[in-house]
Amino acid sequence: MSGAVRAPVAAADASASALEAARSVPGQVELAAAAPGPERDAARDDHEGRGGRGDGRIDAGLRVVPVRHWGRWIASLVVIFVVLQFLWSLASNPKWEWDVFAEYFFAPSVVNGLWLTLWLTVVAGVAGFVLGALLAVFRLSKSPLLNAAAWWYVWFFRSVPLVVQILVWYNLGYLYPTIGLGTPFTTDFWIAEFQTTTLISAFAAAAIGLSLHQAAYSAEIIRAGILSVDQGQLEAAGALGLPRRIRFFRITLPQAARAIVPNAFNEVIGLVKGTSVVFIVALPELFYTVQVIYNRNQRVIPLLLVAVVWYALITTVLSIAQFYVERRFARGAVRELPPTPLQQARAWAATQWRRLGDTPNGDAPNRDAARGCAAPGTAPPRPAPSGGAPGPDALRDLRDRHPATTRPGGTA
Amino acid sequence: MTATTLTPSFDLQQVATRTPASIGRVEITDVSKAYGANQVLRDVSLTVEPGQVVALIGPSGSGKSTLLRTINHLETVDRGSITVDGRYIGYERKGDVLHELREAEILRRRTQVGLVFQNFNLFPHLTAIENVIEAPIALRRQSRAEARSLAEALLARVGLADKAGHYPRQLSGGQQQRVAIARALALSPKVLLFDEPTSALDPELVGEVLDVIRGLARDGTTLIIVTHEIGFAREVADRVVFLDHGEILEQGPPGQVLHRPRHPRTRDFLAKVL
């Protein structure tokens, strides 16, 4: 399975190695199934004694012996050993206290904390990026005042530690006991007046602080994206008479998004964990909640694991979303979009299915159906044959024309 | 020539065979422009009659491209004036005063003048046909369906009917440039400007782009072409203009400027490029 998601060159390697393995140890031929492509077919045919097909590396009857990467094999074994050892220790060492982990993973207080974390992330993420986009546009504006204002904003909020900022918002009532509307430059609030402490709750202080902080960083990310768009694009849009709004939203932004998206997801994933700073105003988000619990029951490790696993789950979901969003904005930027893992998995499953239904003479009619099942314009990774290996059709031709071609590998 | 592919809802004649009568006259009068201390245009005057094809030739840095860009107001001039059919692109004249126009109005007027770039500048995130329909739809000239049928006709006209759904990166340079020409034509400009349209192309792809331009010249569109293809200039241009150091040194019919140049600098230049 793993072979199906590797890069094409690696797949070719794996396939070649598997071919070697198949040759020496017949029982391991299933390994070869991991890599799609003609070599795999050839390996199977060889093993099943049908032969005569050529393995894509045969030219004029010469046999090519692939390089053996001994170092890579040894390193892989070491890595496998270390991973297995660690997994074994996780299962066997009672001090991980998985029962405690299970007890608290869905505990109501933990789930409430998780919701607060997610809610803060959404609020600060959305507000931060909207304000950040505005700042980026200000910063790129021809108006020196807007430009300078955006610069100073970014300077200020990147300078002040987030914790300090949240504390100041939380304690704003100390500096300004009341906030209101009235005559400018006076404290004469004759339209409306509020007690600051009732207006700004702990949650509001945290949300404002996180959003303003996030906006400073988002502004730079968005600005970088906009700057990365080729000047010629704007000239072309201008020459076509496209209005400013359309130039920005239809031409610049979709192209800038390609540079913005990876960094933006970086920021949002950072923000998920960054929200834990709001413990300073005693908001029970996920991390603060588990701290409170383990301070009470002293089960530090399993409770930290509860938080870690939740964070990992959120990050996983966001990473998957990132993959598809990036793919969306890569349209036109690459000639062929790489297949999604889902498409790869379907192609792999179809290959396996086809193998099951293969007729004894090896000429299943829909031999290439597995490749066709990926979305149009995409193809599962194929081995990149160094010697320009012919495709399956060419291989069939080769066999038909030279029925006596040596068996793949030529060893028997 | 592609009228067969048309839907009746829209009139290709308007695009394909423009009436060469009184539209597309460009008048450039005493234009000067400097970038800092670098004087790129010096008192350039040039009149292009409707339907005329003018080739601008000259060494690199002679101001050809700058002159072209001033015509559709992508560059502003320091002195002098440029009008298309008697109107300024960037200003409105009231008596003896030129009032600078708002951007929206400049953009609207600029669509009278199409520009084809040396490096195509197609929008890479849009397919060929989306590139062509973007401006007509954005400027509310046509409904989406009308714009699409016009775009299909235009793509067929440049020989790319089957590439409508391709992204620019999936096309060859010559094909991209032909899409760029279709995109410029979609706004039915009175004047079409070409800024070295074949300089970024492999020699074997130059021909397909020149064929399209040749077709436009026959149809009577006013064309101003900055080019290094001297042979092409000789063939399609009604007039060849030689620029050097921001000045027009010589102009006239191709036979005269290219074969019997009067100015020694023209002779030097032609000796190098021919």
Side-chain angles (χ1 to χ4, degrees), chain A residues 95-409:
Chain A
K95 291 197 174 154
W96 287 105
E97 295 182 289
W98 291 106
D99 53 329
V100 180
F101 173 88
E103 183 189 339
Y104 280 101
F105 194 66
F106 291 111
S109 57
V110 169
V111 172
N112 285 340
L114 177 69
W115 281 123
L116 186 57
T117 292
L118 288 174
W119 185 227
L120 278 172
T121 305
V122 169
V123 170
V126 170
F129 271 89
V130 169
L131 185 56
L134 202 65
L135 285 165
V137 173
F138 276 18
R139 183 88 167 78
L140 293 168
S141 149
K142 286 201 182 97
S143 152
L145 184 83
L146 293 182
N147 186 325
W151 190 90
W152 283 106
Y153 179 97
V154 171
W155 170 82
F156 181 81
F157 283 98
R158 289 202 302 195
S159 307
V160 178
L162 180 52
V163 177
V164 173
Q165 218 213 113
I166 292 173
L167 278 177
V168 169
W169 284 111
Y170 190 59
N171 295 303
L172 196 65
Y174 171 75
L175 294 169
Y176 301 97
T178 61
I179 297 175
L181 290 170
T183 314
F185 307 114
T186 68
T187 49
D188 181 14
F189 302 136
W190 51 273
I191 298 173
E193 187 169 3
F194 305 97
Q195 289 293 317
T196 305
T197 44
T198 54
L199 201 62
I200 299 183
S201 62
F203 180 82
I208 294 172
L210 283 167
S211 302
L212 295 181
H213 179 81
Q214 191 54 48
Y217 288 87
S218 311
E220 289 296 277
I221 289 173
I222 293 169
R223 186 171 71 93
I226 293 172
L227 289 178
S228 74
V229 176
D230 179 24
Q231 196 62 28
Q233 292 290 310
L234 296 182
E235 278 196 344
L240 287 169
L242 295 181
R244 186 183 287 270
R245 261 173 55 85
I246 288 174
R247 280 203 307 254
F248 184 72
F249 285 105
R250 296 269 311 156
I251 307 300
T252 306
L253 209 53
Q255 296 187 59
R258 218 169 121 62
I260 292 173
V261 167
N263 289 322
F265 271 94
N266 235 3
E267 283 293 307
V268 171
I269 289 171
L271 188 59
V272 174
K273 286 161 287 180
T275 52
S276 59
V277 301
V278 305
F279 81 91
I280 201 79
V281 290
L283 272 181
E285 48 69 55
L286 180 59
F287 199 70
Y288 186 65
T289 306
V290 301
Q291 280 180 301
V292 167
I293 298 172
Y294 73 59
N295 279 332
R296 213 172 46 217
N297 68 7
Q298 303 305 314
R299 306 272 197 248
V300 177
I301 292 292
L303 278 157
L304 283 178
L305 277 174
V306 166
V308 166
V309 171
W310 274 121
Y311 283 133
L313 283 173
I314 299 170
T315 305
T316 308
V317 170
L318 286 172
S319 303
I320 293 170
Q322 177 180 0
F323 175 85
Y324 285 97
V325 173
E326 274 183 28
R327 208 163 178 283
R328 170 75 170 66
F329 285 112
R331 285 176 322 160
V334 288
R335 282 207 175 85
E336 299 281 338
L337 286 177
T340 62
L342 199 64
Q343 287 168 344
Q344 289 181 351
R346 271 161 53 200
W348 180 85
T351 312
Q352 300 307 308
W353 179 250
R354 204 195 60 216
R355 279 192 63 198
L356 286 174
D358 223 350
T359 51
N361 64 10
D363 276 329
N366 57 346
R367 177 151 287 275
D368 294 334
R371 294 190 185 96
C373 83
T378 64
R382 294 180 190 210
S386 46
D393 290 333
L395 284 174
R396 268 199 294 278
D397 289 351
L398 189 70
R399 182 197 47 189
D400 293 340
R401 266 187 275 115
H402 305 285
T405 306
T406 45
R407 292 171 50 157

